[in-house]
Amino acid sequence: MAEGDATEEGVTADITRASARLAQAGRLTVLTGAGVSAASGVPTFRGAGGLWRHFRAEDLATPGAFARDPALVWEWYDWRRSLIAACQPNRAHEVLAAWSTAHRGFALLTQNVDGLHERAGTAQMTRLHGSIWTLRCWNECGAAPWANRDVPLRPLPPRCPSCGAMARPGVVWFGEPLDPLDLARADQASTCDVFMVVGTSAVVHPAAGLIDLARVRGAFVIEINPESTPVSDMVDLSLRGPAEVVLDALASC
Ligand code: OAD
């Protein structure tokens, strides 16, 4: 059952408790979602102002949507790339990046495609949903995915440099499997002492399933989120607040 006391003393006690757990943790795994980039100005998907409030995922983030209207899908990704390119990593990214080099047993699993963890200098990370800064051949000609940071992206849709077919964003869409290597890394990282869940609504699988997996394997699970989520009741400690504030407090302990 999640603990968490909303009074000022309660919040301080929870931070102290989390900090003690972190200090003892040989293996620390952090799962992040869109909320970790909210303070950077990157829109989340659900909740007030979330992308899925204004756009239908079925029209923009599925292989079927791309097959039907690649120009529309690319316009949306090109818009998101421009928006993200103007954003900077925030304090939450910075704290996690510092932990990633300071803790030998650290692993970061992110659902984010924005590249802000990388820009903050995070080591030991797995991008479960790919990267908006990577392109892939839609025809699967065998060319390796390639990096592209052009903003705006031209021509639109872009082309595969190897075979000339249309390129697609290097992200995982709804209905697509995750890269088996990433899944294997995530599975391995879910065996840990502390599993921290930061800024995710915990509704998209298989990423969300890692939380219960870690718990069943004996990890102490800490959630950092200003709102409650479907996993809030099963975590060991809920730190109610924005990631950039709570992680800063933990880093200062
Ligand atoms: P969501 O938009 O579903 O959830 C964002 C979460 O961040 C919510 O629980 C918010 O309460 C929380 N939040 C907002 N501001 C925050 C802050 N400053 N600090 C901490 N938390 C904050 O985003 P994800 O859970 O990442 O997948 O979504 C999972 C996946 O669904 C995404 O990777 C994407 C999306 O559709 C694909 O596109 C495949």
Side-chain angles (χ1 to χ4, degrees):
M1 186 68 175
E3 291 179 26
D5 180 347
T7 64
E8 199 172 321
E9 297 78 32
V11 171
T12 307
D14 287 343
I15 294 279
T16 307
R17 190 158 163 240
S19 174
R21 285 284 177 168
L22 289 173
Q24 290 163 5
R27 293 190 66 185
L28 164 63
T29 297
V30 182
L31 171 69
T32 64
V36 88
S37 296
S40 297
V42 181
T44 60
F45 293 94
R46 298 167 186 85
L51 291 172
W52 297 148
R53 289 284 174 105
H54 305 284
F55 305 99
R56 279 159 37 100
E58 305 87 319
D59 294 338
L60 296 165
T62 64
F66 191 76
R68 272 194 304 279
D69 197 344
L72 174 75
V73 172
W74 262 120
E75 269 171 37
W76 190 66
Y77 277 93
D78 195 40
W79 167 73
R80 282 179 64 201
R81 283 164 61 103
S82 302
L83 194 155
I84 294 165
C87 297
Q88 303 301 324
N90 65 58
R91 184 68 185 135
H93 298 107
E94 285 169 12
V95 170
L96 295 174
W99 287 355
S100 77
T101 49
H103 284 260
R104 291 182 90 211
F106 180 91
L108 181 87
L109 309 172
T110 188
Q111 300 166 85
N112 299 347
V113 299
D114 57 31
L116 291 180
H117 282 304
E118 296 92 313
R119 278 175 56 196
T122 311
Q124 308 296 344
M125 64 172 291
T126 301
R127 289 186 300 241
L128 297 170
H129 293 167
S131 169
I132 204 164
W133 304 112
T134 300
L135 273 54
R136 280 162 47 193
C137 179
W138 172 241
N139 265 7
E140 299 181 346
C141 73
W146 63 96
N148 180 306
R149 298 196 70 90
D150 296 350
V151 169
L153 196 48
R154 297 292 179 266
L156 208 63
R159 298 272 148 196
C160 171
S162 204
C163 72
M166 201 158 46
R168 58 162 284 178
V171 300
V172 177
W173 281 325
F174 289 103
E176 291 187 312
L178 271 59
D179 182 321
L181 278 177
D182 292 337
L183 268 181
R185 276 200 219 107
D187 181 90
Q188 213 178 13
S190 299
T191 302
C192 56
D193 301 302
V194 173
F195 192 89
M196 191 180 269
V197 187
V198 189
T200 177
S201 57
V203 293
V204 174
H205 287 261
L210 298 170
I211 304 165
D212 194 45
L213 183 64
R215 189 185 63 83
V216 166
R217 290 178 180 173
F220 186 82
V221 182
I222 301 173
E223 180 180 54
I224 300 177
N225 198 312
E227 311 283 337
S228 68
T229 72
V231 299
S232 295
D233 280 345
M234 68 116 169
V235 302
D236 296 294
L237 187 58
S238 239
L239 300 176
R240 282 273 161 269
E244 62 280 10
V245 174
V246 176
L247 285 171
D248 182 55
L250 285 173
S252 313
C253 278

